[in-house]
Amino acid sequence: MSCIFCKIVNKEIPSTILWENNDLLAIEDINPVAPVHCLIIPKSHVTTVAEVDGNQLKSLPQCIEDLIIEKDLKKHGYRLVTNAGFDGGQEVDHIHFHLLGGKKLGKMG
Ligand code: AMP
Ligand code: ZN
């Protein structure tokens, strides 16, 4: 499998791991667009949120809660985004959620 996020999940290439359980891995984005830019990556390889097994997302709220405490995002807020396909601006073909914060973010679109 040549998918870069599968390699990160399998620890074949390094990343800065922030949170992990059997279903999800959260890492620092290598090219942050905000002071806080984490990626939450479901471990199994599917492309978009429309295809993922919902069981794999059961711990997503807990992961987010832990990250927003760790990253001190509770007071000022944050944004959770998943890009899908060409129009959505998805570059890595393995589902992931961007957790962004640490500054006032611009409107999307
Ligand atoms: P997307 O455009 O939604 O597919 O987002 C892909 C994200 O993956 C971008 O924000 C990249 O900066 C990030 N990224 C790509 N390669 C790595 C890597 N090796 N480690 C951490 N983040 C990465
Ligand atoms: Zn993958």
Side-chain angles (χ1 to χ4, degrees), residues 6 12 15 18 21 26 31-32 35 40 42 52 55 66 70 82 87 95-96 99:
C6 282
E12 291 165 20
S15 66
L18 302 170
N21 72 0
N31 186 22
I40 303 169
V52 73
N55 284 322
D66 291 348
E70 180 177 334
T82 185
D87 279 0
I95 179 177
H96 52 282
L99 179 67

Side-chain angles (χ1 to χ4, degrees), residues 4-5 8 13-16 27-33 37 39 41 81-84 88-94 96-98:
I4 189 165
F5 283 180
I8 286 174
I13 61 173
S15 66
T16 303
I27 65 171
E28 299 280 8
D29 195 291
I30 205 168
N31 186 22
V33 299
H37 189 168
L39 298 174
I41 306 172
V81 178
T82 185
N83 299 323
Q90 184 175 16
E91 290 178 0
V92 177
D93 207 13
H94 178 135
H96 52 282
F97 300 90
H98 299 257

Side-chain angles (χ1 to χ4, degrees), residues 9-26:
V9 163
N10 293 326
K11 319 280 167 64
E12 291 165 20
I13 61 173
S15 66
T16 303
I17 295 175
L18 302 170
W19 196 95
E20 182 171 19
N21 72 0
N22 284 338
D23 299 318
L24 302 176
L25 179 71

Side-chain angles (χ1 to χ4, degrees), residues 44-63:
S44 72
H45 183 97
V46 296
T47 305
T48 70
V49 72
E51 300 152 65
V52 73
D53 175 355
N55 284 322
Q56 275 204 69
L57 301 180
K58 276 199 292 200
S59 50
L60 185 60
Q62 185 64 59
C63 177

